[in-house]
Amino acid sequence: MDMKAGLKTRIAAMTVAAGSLVLACPAVPAHADGEGQHHGRTASVGGPRLSRPGVQVLRKPGAPHLPSDLSALSWMVSDADTGKVLAAHNAHRRLPPASTLKTLFAVTVLPKLPQQVLRKVTATDLAGVGEGSSQVGIRPGKSYTVADMWRGVFLSSGNDAVHALGAMNGSMPKTIAQMKAKARALGAHDTRVVSADGYDAPGQVSSAYDLTLFARAGLARPDFVRYSSTAVARFPTGRKPNGKATGYFQIQNTNRLLVGAPGLDRYRGLIGVKNGYTSHAGNTLVAAARRGGRTLVVTVMNPQSGAFNAVYHEARSLLDWGFAASGKVSAVGTLYGHRGGAAAKAVHRPVKDAGTAVSHAAAVAVPDDKPPTVWFASVTGALLLGGTGWVLYRRRRTFGGRWL
């Protein structure tokens, strides 16, 4: 074999080996090493556009314009069924979540506790409930079912109910550790959990993207949807050992898109999910609605307009826009909710368009779809390496065997 033929053979072998290596190397997902990593390393989560500051939308001809009165520091509109992000503004910006973090608490703890189990609450169970925080009215020495407590969580945003359920789950520290693990499993790497109930705590943050992931995971559970879509319920003053209530008082959901308020009508088709407020976080809201066979999730964090009920009006405007934009916009990102080796996909059967409609939802496992950018990068890398090897070979032949 002459020198040129041998060189050609070696370059070809090196090119094939390099291309095979690129294709064989698995892509490492952002933040596989833990929770709450630096924002720059979340750039690929959901797609590169979602890491960009400002409004992200890809309108087709005839698509409606986004609402002009949006003032939230961060917001996102997503299709819960397909996982497509229709529009976003600072999707990965880390902000205090307030009680919207209870969505992560719910998707973490709901599967662990049977709904009709009775618990006699102790003072220790309620230790650590933040001063001035929202409560449903759980009292030490009284007994309640798990279902009672979940109504307290979703309707009254009761931190006392969260602490009682956390105690039933083993302890609050254990529950917080599980919430962190759940966030990582869902691909929510902007979130840092310090308090399970969303009470302001140093370093506790989430993002519109992550809160949408939590909501989508919740919508895959009929019990989550049932609680989050309940407008009004009776809460027991306590229960006897046989489970019979000693009395009741009425509680109402604090989500004003669900129950309405002066100057704010109930939103048609709303099926939850959770609102929140603290002086540090401002108003936050994750709202899901279903119309015409489509389920949309809108997350709004900390409107700056100062208008009364701004978080609800802005969420309503974004929901209206999302339904009107059906088929008229291209996705700017994707919701990647990882559960083990599979992505979770929420599947909903049609429900009535009503403020208290309950979605019959189920979770099905589908193959883990890597983001298109991962596949594209792998194939492109192989082609570039192969092309580079061939160009170098040709250039060496052309210029008398010198590398140029």
Side-chain angles (χ1 to χ4, degrees), residues 335-355:
L335 299 175
Y336 287 104
H338 297 284
R339 295 180 178 179
K345 180 181 179 183
V347 179
H348 302 268
R349 294 198 295 271
V351 297
K352 294 182 179 179
D353 291 338

Side-chain angles (χ1 to χ4, degrees), residues 138-226:
I138 290 175
R139 298 289 177 262
K142 301 292 185 179
S143 296
Y144 308 87
T145 64
V146 168
D148 293 331
M149 296 181 193
W150 281 119
R151 281 186 281 271
V153 170
F154 279 96
L155 275 70
S156 298
S157 202
N159 290 4
D160 50 351
V162 169
H163 280 254
L165 288 166
M168 291 187 71
N169 188 47
S171 70
M172 287 303 288
K174 176 182 177 181
T175 298
I176 289 171
Q178 291 175 351
M179 290 171 66
K180 293 177 180 179
K182 186 67 172 179
R184 290 194 297 271
L186 290 172
H189 302 293
D190 298 322
T191 299
R192 292 178 178 173
V193 183
V194 181
S195 66
D197 51 20
Y199 191 78
D200 281 342
Q204 180 156 275
V205 291
S206 189
S207 68
Y209 184 86
D210 285 10
L211 292 173
T212 303
L213 289 181
F214 305 151
R216 191 185 187 211
L219 292 173
R221 295 189 57 87
D223 48 3
F224 182 102
V225 178
R226 184 171 63 252

Side-chain angles (χ1 to χ4, degrees), residues 318-329:
L318 286 169
L319 283 168
D320 285 345
W321 175 86
F323 285 117
S326 176
K328 300 175 183 178
V329 295

Side-chain angles (χ1 to χ4, degrees), residues 15 18-19 22-23 372-388:
T15 300
V22 171
L23 291 172
T373 52
V374 173
W375 176 87
F376 181 78
S378 298
V379 175
T380 302
L383 293 175
L384 286 174
L385 283 173
T388 301

Side-chain angles (χ1 to χ4, degrees), residues 353-378:
D353 291 338
T356 55
V358 176
S359 172
H360 301 281
V364 297
V366 298
D368 191 2
D369 295 325
K370 292 181 180 179
T373 52
V374 173
W375 176 87
F376 181 78
S378 298

